[in-house]
Amino acid sequence: MGRMDRPHDQERWHRMTSVAAEALAAAKAGEDAVAVDLVTGYLTGSREPNQDIRELVLLLFAECSGMVASLGSGESTPVQMQVFDEDGQEVQIDDADPPVRTAIRTLLAEVHGDPEAAAAQIEIVLTSGAPDELATVVLQALRWTIRLAAECASRDLPVPPWIAAALAD
């Protein structure tokens, strides 16, 4: 799927990218709790909160996927996924905490062009995960978006404009 296409509802698209942009800026500033609060606050008053959070989180993963594709094309150094524990030691993906595994599987599904599988991973967290697990997946998506955008920018590769604006110093 790569980059998410704008939905027909431009107001909804603008609201979703605005919230995601604010969350990215907060995460970049090290304000993880604020970033999660912004994303979860997006659901306030929503008639379909699971659909809204699913779309917002999948937007981040889709944008990450597009940046991974850009980084992996041409003569660029390929992107590698690594998982580290609290002590900084690399661990196998299957040994990572469940929400981190979910985030990795979601991104890999997007990268491999399977948005349905990505959505299924997010659905698992929404239906059977604890709130802190969803927060972990959201933070992981935000952190990867920040890192991938920085790497793309450093290699003069495209960064989605709404992400570039959110992360501008």
Side-chain angles (χ1 to χ4, degrees):
M1 175 179 169
R3 292 170 195 225
M4 184 175 183
D5 294 327
R6 289 180 185 222
H8 290 37
D9 184 345
Q10 291 297 313
E11 184 177 317
R12 183 177 174 86
W13 169 260
H14 178 70
R15 185 171 163 244
M16 185 169 46
T17 56
S18 293
V19 169
E22 288 181 52
L24 283 168
K28 181 181 178 193
E31 300 289 337
D32 291 349
V34 172
V36 171
D37 285 347
L38 283 163
V39 172
T40 56
Y42 172 64
L43 306 177
T44 303
S46 172
R47 286 184 234 142
E48 299 180 36
N50 278 0
Q51 178 179 338
D52 287 346
I53 192 72
R54 182 184 309 107
E55 286 182 8
L56 192 144
V57 173
L58 288 172
L59 168 67
L60 291 169
F61 281 111
E63 297 290 21
C64 284
S65 174
M67 290 185 283
V68 167
S70 292
L71 288 165
S73 66
E75 298 177 22
S76 297
T77 305
V79 175
Q80 295 180 348
M81 294 199 67
Q82 296 173 296
V83 179
F84 298 93
D85 63 16
E86 305 83 36
D87 300 324
Q89 299 297 315
E90 186 174 359
V91 296
Q92 296 295 314
I93 291 172
D94 290 334
D95 295 333
D97 291 335
V100 173
R101 282 195 314 263
T102 298
I104 292 166
R105 289 177 180 145
T106 303
L107 180 57
L108 289 174
E110 283 286 351
V111 167
H112 291 287
D114 192 350
E116 291 81 19
Q121 289 296 315
I122 298 305
E123 191 63 31
I124 291 168
V125 172
L126 289 173
T127 59
S128 62
D132 64 325
E133 290 177 350
L134 178 59
T136 299
V137 171
V138 167
L139 281 173
Q140 196 63 60
L142 292 168
R143 289 176 182 148
W144 285 338
T145 303
I146 293 165
R147 287 186 189 131
L148 289 165
E151 190 61 29
C152 282
S154 76
R155 297 185 195 187
D156 292 324
L157 295 170
V159 174
W162 70 270
I163 294 174
L167 300 176
D169 291 326

